[in-house]
Amino acid sequence: MLDLSKLNKHQLKAVTATEGPILVVAGAGTGKTRVLTMRVAYLIDELGYDPQKILAITFTNKAANEMRNRIATLLPNVNVPWIGTYHAICLKILRKNVDTIGYSSNFTVIDDEDQSLLIRDIYKQGNISQKDIKPAKMIGIIEKIKMNDVGVETISTMQQLKELGIFSFEDLKIVKYVHQRYQAKLKSGNILDFNDLLLFTHKILKENIDIRDYWQKHFHYILVDEFQDTNIIQFEILNYLINPKQINVFAVGDPDQTIYTWRGAYANIFNDYLESYKNTQVMILDLNYRSTKNILKVANSLVSNNHERIKKDLSTDNPQGVEVVFCKSDSQYYEASFICQQIIELVKKEKYQYSDIAILYRSNYLSRFIEQELMSNSIPYYIYGSLKFYQRMEIKDLLAYLRLMADDQNEIALKRVINVPRRNIGEVTIDRVSEYARKNNMTFAQALALSLRMDVEITWSPNPIMQFLKLIHQLKENTQKLSPSKALQEIIKVTKYQEYLASLDFESRWDNVNELIAAIEYYEAKNPEGTIEGYLQEITLYTDPTEIKKARDQSVSLMTVHVAKGSEYRVIFLAALNEGIFPVAINGQTTNLEEERRIAYVALTRAMERLYLTCSAGHSFVTNAPLYPSRFIKEMDTKNLKVVEQGMKSISDVDLSWYDSKSPATNFEDNYNKDAVAFQIGDTIAHVVFGAGVIVGIKENLLDIAFKAPYGVKTLVKNHKAIKRMKS
């Protein structure tokens, strides 16, 4: 029997109300993962549902793994195979049904880098300059074409062009050429990109009644995590999978955490759900287990300014906790210095670990000034959101070799490693082989194989390619009876890949290679009969970074708020809370204020015990504007904050009342105190651009100030806002 005694009354109702459509509005830190996993266990253990017939959809592989692990703890001998992201679920469906749209079930799924390789090949074949439309932008355009079902041949207006992100009909010609050949290459190579996983599943379920009926009968119960992140096509796929006779669907999410509209999520998804399923039971989880009362007071104050939301206020039985601190600093340097001072005190005096602390910011570029000060103070840190493990050069190289062991005709894998390690096969040779294949209507692999024949006239030097093909043949023979991990080690040995990394001065990347071997060995432990093909299929959709755990566990975490979603830390610093930075402004205009507020809300609710909010004065070299405190500070209500200052004393402080949420007056200059300041020779001041300096002369309203090299002595207006004086 399951122990349900630790659930609160709202959680218990959500776990046990099992029939018909249910929508759970679950605030941050209210135990939604516990509810989801307990509900799956309840369906199986208490109600007797077949675990093979339960579908649980998550939005990250990390969340899927956590759900599996929690269910395994509750029900040790039960396997629930249908837990995964929309892409992972669609992949499994397509393996069974993709033949209905002309693909083979052993299709390959390519990632962003492989897409880029295909696009660049098409550019070369079409003699297209990357200056016309950069390949990365072309990938985005193709994604819009596919996901929005745009008929490129029917585009005839400038508005239609702009919706794709292109601005001339000359560019449209390039897009048509590349899109047509990109799709042709995917089809001829039996390849799908990530968008195709959703689109093809949607197409099959929509158009094939028998297949749709099969899956609707197959899934007796469907659960969806992070429902606020669902986009339109995902919602339609969900609707196709729900059995209309039972409508046993359970969606959990928080509209206040809808922060991915830029990639398709939309705030009205909850209304669409309620419209689609009229008899939906709506339940609200608002008892927070994560944060202190003081932190929740600030978070609730902020998000209550949003009008398009399902109203709820988080409460908690946790202690009141320490006050939330807001620090106004006179420069980014002092802002970073304040953060570091607090971290040092927390670790030395309050006995926190570095790993208890995270520094969040709105955009990646904002980490630079923080990193610099962390290094100066010898504080270890780890930045999340860099290249994912399976996208690193050395990992992609070795996986390409493994793929060739399974399929030596794979064009993408061949092109990736044909000259890795270097074997005198340059881009010119590869281009010639590609061009020959195109003109003679054959695959790249078939054209390469002509290098082994003496009776065919080719346009490239055959010897290096002959050696490469012999190497692949030798490796296939050597690895035929080996496990995937042993096969990889054989590849590394025969290709001398470790020596290759050393020759590039990439010896540090060898740790990643060892991590890959360990990952494959872990796969083998779970799948004793596992094959190279099986492993490659398993990692197709794996997107979580594989960190070196030791480094992570001994470091302060740095990341954007988007990366931080779903995590929690004992201490959170939310840095660079400046107007124009957070909320983001484009050309001086904040475009989606409600979403920006939700993003800030997500940041605040990551904090468990302590929350620090920081901003700086001065001038932003990114937004090219003066820096002012974010309007969000006033919306949080400064009565809820402990306000401190750091660094210099401004000759005229910014008043936090500059912004009124109900009437957005924006004359920032008027908020400065124009009263004169009695400077004296010898005073130490700071300038927002020139840094620290000493007054060496005063004449009427002008100051002569000596700055460090390379600036020297400058004469500046005495009361200019750029000048600030040291606190006495």
Side-chain angles (χ1 to χ4, degrees):
M1 294 287 290
L2 287 174
D3 180 10
L4 305 178
S5 62
K6 294 182 181 179
L7 299 174
N8 66 44
K9 62 179 182 180
H10 299 299
Q11 291 174 332
L12 181 63
K13 183 179 179 182
V15 167
T16 57
T18 56
E19 297 305 310
I22 295 172
L23 177 63
V24 178
V25 179
T30 57
K32 71 173 180 60
T33 304
R34 176 194 291 181
V35 168
L36 274 166
T37 51
M38 287 293 289
R39 187 177 179 85
V40 173
Y42 185 82
L43 290 170
I44 297 167
D45 196 50
E46 299 288 340
L47 302 186
Y49 276 88
D50 182 352
Q52 309 287 322
K53 307 292 186 181
I54 294 174
L55 169 62
I57 303 173
T58 66
F59 270 81
T60 66
N61 290 299
K62 179 181 177 182
N65 289 333
E66 182 179 358
M67 188 179 292
R68 286 192 196 95
N69 292 337
R70 290 201 188 192
I71 292 171
T73 301
L74 294 169
L75 304 174
N77 300 316
V78 173
N79 177 37
V80 185
W82 287 90
I83 298 176
T85 64
Y86 269 104
H87 288 88
I89 299 303
C90 288
L91 176 64
K92 293 177 75 170
I93 291 173
L94 289 175
R95 291 286 180 206
K96 292 179 177 291
N97 300 126
V98 77
D99 60 308
T100 61
I101 55 172
Y103 283 76
S104 170
S105 62
N106 66 343
F107 58 82
T108 300
V109 182
I110 58 171
D111 61 13
D112 292 345
E113 188 172 337
D114 290 335
Q115 275 184 292
S116 181
L117 181 61
L118 279 181
I119 296 294
R120 289 172 192 276
D121 279 349
I122 294 168
Y123 273 37
K124 288 176 182 176
Q125 294 166 10
N127 197 27
I128 298 169
S129 171
Q130 293 189 22
K131 294 180 181 178
D132 294 329
I133 301 177
K134 292 182 178 179
K137 183 177 180 181
M138 181 63 74
I139 291 173
I141 291 170
I142 290 174
E143 179 176 357
K144 288 180 182 177
I145 290 170
K146 296 174 80 162
M147 295 302 290
N148 295 296
D149 195 22
V150 176
V152 289
E153 298 301 326
T154 65
I155 292 176
S156 59
T157 69
M158 284 301 298
Q159 181 59 36
Q160 290 173 311
L161 290 180
K162 289 178 181 179
E163 287 172 358
L164 288 180
I166 55 180
F167 301 97
S168 74
F169 285 96
E170 284 301 312
D171 284 348
L172 179 60
K173 291 179 183 178
I174 298 172
V175 169
K176 287 180 178 179
Y177 175 89
V178 175
H179 175 255
Q180 180 185 18
R181 281 153 184 78
Y182 174 76
Q183 290 298 101
K185 275 183 172 287
L186 293 186
K187 186 64 183 292
S188 64
N190 199 38
I191 299 168
L192 277 63
D193 62 26
F194 268 47
N195 296 315
D196 292 331
L197 295 176
L198 299 179
L199 292 170
F200 288 0
T201 303
H202 182 272
K203 178 181 175 65
I204 291 169
L205 292 174
K206 180 181 180 180
E207 296 178 357
N208 195 310
I209 296 174
D210 290 339
I211 292 176
R212 183 168 73 237
D213 184 62
Y214 169 84
W215 289 110
Q216 287 177 349
K217 289 178 179 176
H218 181 84
F219 296 124
H220 294 171
Y221 215 100
I222 300 178
L223 305 94
V224 186
D225 190 14
E226 301 288 7
F227 188 64
Q228 75 279 352
D229 295 335
T230 305
N231 64 33
I232 293 173
I233 193 168
Q234 290 167 342
F235 186 53
E236 289 182 1
I237 290 171
L238 173 66
N239 289 334
Y240 286 136
L241 294 175
I242 294 171
N243 189 328
K245 295 179 180 178
Q246 298 172 326
I247 315 184
N248 283 336
V249 58
F250 181 86
V252 183
D254 183 4
D256 288 335
Q257 297 186 65
T258 304
I259 64 172
Y260 290 112
T261 60
W262 50 274
R263 69 182 190 195
Y266 63 113
N268 285 333
I269 187 69
F270 290 86
N271 291 333
D272 287 358
Y273 185 93
L274 295 172
E275 282 293 318
S276 299
Y277 307 109
K278 298 291 186 182
N279 59 337
T280 296
Q281 296 182 67
V282 179
M283 304 176 187
I284 294 179
L285 303 183
D286 54 10
L287 182 61
N288 178 281
Y289 291 91
R290 176 185 299 156
S291 306
T292 64
K293 288 182 172 66
N294 278 330
I295 292 170
L296 292 185
K297 188 191 301 180
V298 170
N300 286 332
S301 296
L302 174 67
V303 80
S304 65
N305 287 275
N306 273 0
H307 303 294
E308 302 296 327
R309 63 188 292 259
I310 298 175
K311 184 172 172 37
K312 70 178 188 309
D313 274 342
L314 294 179
S315 62
T316 185
D317 294 332
N318 290 337
Q320 194 73 27
V322 298
E323 289 180 283
V324 175
V325 174
F326 169 55
C327 177
K328 294 190 298 176
S329 297
D330 287 303
S331 69
Q332 287 188 327
Y333 164 76
Y334 285 110
E335 182 181 357
S337 177
F338 170 79
I339 292 171
C340 290
Q341 289 170 19
Q342 298 307 307
I343 290 173
I344 291 168
E345 287 189 18
L346 288 168
V347 171
K348 287 186 176 179
K349 296 181 181 179
E350 304 294 337
K351 305 305 179 186
Y352 282 89
Q353 302 295 315
Y354 286 127
S355 57
D356 294 329
I357 301 168
I359 304 171
L360 309 184
Y361 32 80
R362 179 63 179 84
S363 303
N364 276 312
Y365 75 87
L366 295 164
S367 72
R368 184 197 60 79
F369 75 94
I370 301 170
E371 287 185 68
Q372 185 172 315
E373 196 62 16
L374 288 169
M375 287 187 286
S376 297
N377 286 276
S378 300
I379 297 173
Y381 66 92
Y382 186 94
I383 296 184
Y384 286 75
S386 59
L387 275 180
K388 296 179 174 63
F389 182 75
Y390 286 97
Q391 292 178 340
R392 293 171 184 167
M393 179 204 79
E394 60 275 19
I395 303 305
K396 289 185 73 72
D397 287 348
L398 293 174
L399 290 179
Y401 271 112
L402 270 183
R403 197 170 295 285
L404 291 176
M405 299 305 98
D407 176 13
D408 60 7
Q409 302 292 300
N410 189 291
E411 179 176 344
I412 292 172
L414 284 168
K415 286 184 174 179
R416 180 166 192 95
V417 299
I418 194 170
N419 199 39
V420 177
R422 297 188 185 100
R423 46 179 71 93
N424 297 318
I425 305 175
E427 289 292 327
V428 173
T429 298
I430 296 171
D431 288 346
R432 287 176 178 172
V433 177
S434 297
E435 180 67 11
Y436 188 98
R438 187 181 67 81
K439 287 183 176 179
N440 291 277
N441 197 28
M442 60 176 60
T443 66
F444 181 79
Q446 289 170 335
L448 276 182
L450 298 178
S451 302
L452 301 172
R453 293 174 54 178
M454 304 296 293
D455 59 334
V456 179
E457 185 175 341
I458 55 179
T459 59
W460 59 88
S461 176
N463 291 334
I465 293 178
M466 286 172 62
Q467 296 304 313
F468 171 68
L469 294 176
K470 288 177 181 178
L471 172 71
I472 298 301
H473 180 73
Q474 175 192 345
L475 285 172
K476 286 198 72 170
E477 285 194 342
N478 293 358
T479 60
Q480 195 170 14
K481 296 182 179 180
L482 297 180
S483 68
S485 62
K486 295 299 183 186
L488 181 60
Q489 291 174 63
E490 177 69 9
I491 289 167
I492 293 168
K493 175 184 173 183
V494 172
T495 62
K496 299 183 179 179
Y497 193 81
Q498 185 174 8
E499 292 86 340
Y500 167 67
L501 287 181
S503 72
L504 298 176
D505 199 24
F506 286 164
E507 290 162 296
S508 61
R509 302 195 186 202
W510 185 245
D511 288 337
N512 295 332
V513 175
N514 285 325
E515 188 70 19
L516 177 62
I517 295 170
I520 298 176
E521 288 173 342
Y522 178 69
Y523 162 78
E524 292 167 351
K526 292 191 302 177
N527 303 273
E529 303 299 320
T531 63
I532 291 174
E533 294 94 327
Y535 174 71
L536 292 171
Q537 284 192 16
E538 175 159 303
I539 65 166
T540 295
L541 296 166
Y542 194 85
T543 56
D544 289 332
T546 301
E547 302 95 359
I548 301 173
K549 194 173 188 299
K550 182 179 178 182
R552 181 188 63 196
D553 285 354
Q554 295 175 356
S555 303
V556 173
S557 298
L558 272 67
M559 66 193 84
T560 65
V561 181
H562 282 91
V563 172
K565 186 173 180 291
S567 61
E568 61 184 23
Y569 290 85
R570 293 177 67 192
V571 181
I572 287 289
F573 290 86
L574 180 54
L577 261 174
N578 288 95
E579 192 68 17
I581 294 175
F582 202 173
V584 170
I586 300 174
N587 297 324
Q589 298 294 318
T590 302
T591 55
N592 194 337
L593 184 57
E594 294 229 340
E595 174 145 355
E596 289 294 306
R597 199 175 280 117
R598 290 193 296 266
I599 296 169
Y601 174 78
V602 167
L604 303 180
T605 54
R606 301 309 95 197
M608 300 169 69
E609 299 170 11
R610 293 175 183 263
L611 175 61
Y612 297 83
L613 313 171
T614 67
C615 73
S616 58
H619 192 85
S620 170
F621 294 98
V622 175
T623 63
N624 196 32
L627 292 173
Y628 302 94
S630 168
R631 69 185 73 190
F632 293 158
I633 296 299
K634 178 168 173 55
E635 293 179 355
M636 293 174 201
D637 193 343
T638 51
K639 291 185 294 186
N640 296 327
L641 306 173
K642 178 182 178 182
V643 180
V644 299
E645 294 183 357
Q646 177 76 358
M648 308 292 184
K649 180 175 176 59
S650 172
I651 63 171
S652 50
D653 287 333
V654 176
D655 185 347
L656 277 176
S657 65
W658 70 266
Y659 178 79
D660 182 344
S661 297
K662 296 178 181 177
S663 58
T666 55
N667 189 356
F668 308 123
E669 298 281 342
D670 291 343
N671 290 280
Y672 275 88
N673 181 1
K674 303 299 183 182
D675 293 342
V677 175
F679 287 112
Q680 297 180 5
I681 292 176
D683 281 353
T684 302
I685 65 90
H687 189 278
V688 295
V689 174
F690 307 132
V694 176
I695 297 175
V696 295
I698 302 175
K699 186 177 181 180
E700 296 179 354
N701 68 330
L702 299 177
L703 301 175
D704 294 328
I705 306 172
F707 296 101
K708 292 181 180 179
Y711 302 114
V713 177
K714 294 187 177 293
T715 301
L716 302 173
V717 177
K718 182 189 299 185
N719 286 343
H720 195 280
K721 66 190 177 194
I723 300 171
K724 301 169 186 286
R725 187 170 60 184
M726 283 286 234
K727 288 181 178 178
S728 57

